[in-house]
Amino acid sequence: MVSKFIAKRIVFPILSRFSKVYFSSPRKYRYQSIKAVVNPGVFFPHFTISTRLLLNFLSDKNLANASFLELGSGTGIISVFAARKGARVTASDINPAAVANTLENAERNGVKIKAFQSDLFDSVETQQFDVILINPPYYPKEPTSDAEKAWYCGSEFQYFEKLFSTLPPFDSASTTIYMILSDDCDFNRIQAIASKYGFQFSEVFKAKKWGEWNFIYEINLGSTHQ
């Protein structure tokens, strides 16, 4: 039986080449009644499961009038979904093409979203949100383009160092922070970085798809850091 690691070594280069060609043109993406377009250079949810799992996870959440921040919005479909559920949505992405795509899909689906370019919290006005949602890059490699920043967190996990060091001013006792990760990432390294800044992970959902486990965690400050 071919191991998961060997299978990925075989499939990933083929999928990567195909994706570059396929997503060089706008592509449609749909979830329930939401119709979105994925523009070139923006994280594509078609061949990954994280976006759909987060959408399914949020389906039974009461977001009416909740202040909702999506860090790394990509196409904006999750932000659109949250807005459809009555949330007051702020969306940010380091990639300007993703910000434009988020606003385009918000208009296409008749919802209002505040979206802007930001490297994590750099351009986010300091405030406490009811919900913060994070679908992070977690492969340890230096990104060489805005598009690659959706996949690679830096060779020394710089994304997570910056995330957890700048998160506290946006957290409060009433804030719920969700992050999705898979068994393909170095969870121990990510957890160690979070712990350094006082944050703890609590698993709230998991699902296996295409042989890979995906986990949604709720992230909280430890009691000594409250």
Side-chain angles (χ1 to χ4, degrees):
M1 184 176 180
V2 179
S3 72
K4 176 182 170 182
F5 175 76
I6 295 174
K8 285 199 170 187
R9 287 287 297 271
I10 296 170
V11 172
F12 187 78
I14 299 171
L15 182 59
S16 179
R17 288 193 293 271
F18 171 77
S19 298
K20 286 180 180 179
V21 175
Y22 184 78
F23 290 104
S24 62
S25 300
R27 297 295 176 180
K28 295 179 180 179
Y29 185 84
R30 183 166 183 167
Y31 181 81
Q32 295 181 5
S33 62
I34 297 174
K35 297 179 181 179
V37 169
V38 182
N39 288 334
V42 179
F43 176 82
F44 45 89
H46 298 69
F47 304 138
T48 60
I49 192 61
S50 58
T51 298
R52 188 164 291 272
L53 285 180
L54 285 169
L55 289 165
N56 291 342
F57 177 74
L58 291 175
S59 290
D60 63 355
K61 303 299 180 188
N62 181 10
L63 299 179
N65 206 39
S67 55
F68 184 100
L69 172 65
E70 182 181 13
L71 285 179
S73 60
T75 62
I77 190 168
I78 291 175
S79 288
V80 169
F81 185 67
R84 280 273 189 94
K85 290 176 68 66
R88 295 174 283 112
V89 178
T90 299
S92 72
D93 202 293
I94 196 171
N95 184 354
V99 176
N101 205 170
T102 293
L103 291 170
E104 177 185 342
N105 283 322
E107 182 177 0
R108 176 177 284 108
N109 288 277
V111 295
K112 291 185 178 180
I113 290 173
K114 182 180 179 182
F116 48 84
Q117 184 180 3
S118 181
D119 183 355
L120 292 171
F121 292 103
D122 283 357
S123 300
V124 182
E125 181 181 352
T126 302
Q127 59 186 288
Q128 276 74 53
F129 291 92
D130 295 316
V131 179
I132 299 176
L133 190 80
I134 310 167
N135 185 359
Y138 51 69
Y139 293 110
K141 178 182 174 181
E142 296 299 327
T144 59
S145 66
D146 284 335
E148 286 192 353
K149 290 174 183 176
W151 301 91
Y152 303 124
C153 63
S155 58
E156 297 299 321
F157 292 76
Q158 296 96 312
Y159 172 94
F160 292 99
E161 289 281 356
K162 183 168 184 175
L163 170 65
F164 289 112
S165 67
T166 57
L167 179 54
F170 298 88
D171 191 16
S172 71
S174 60
T175 303
T176 304
I177 304 167
Y178 295 118
M179 177 185 287
I180 188 166
L181 295 169
S182 85
D183 62 6
D184 205 28
C185 74
D186 188 345
F187 177 71
N188 289 335
R189 179 72 177 270
I190 295 168
Q191 188 179 45
I193 294 170
S195 179
K196 181 168 67 174
Y197 296 101
F199 289 97
Q200 301 173 341
F201 286 74
S202 300
E203 182 186 308
V204 293
F205 178 85
K206 68 177 181 179
K208 192 173 187 180
K209 186 73 172 180
W210 302 324
E212 181 176 338
W213 281 102
N214 290 263
F215 307 89
I216 297 177
Y217 296 97
E218 186 174 331
I219 299 172
N220 297 287
L221 274 172
S223 57
T224 59
H225 294 265
Q226 295 287 353

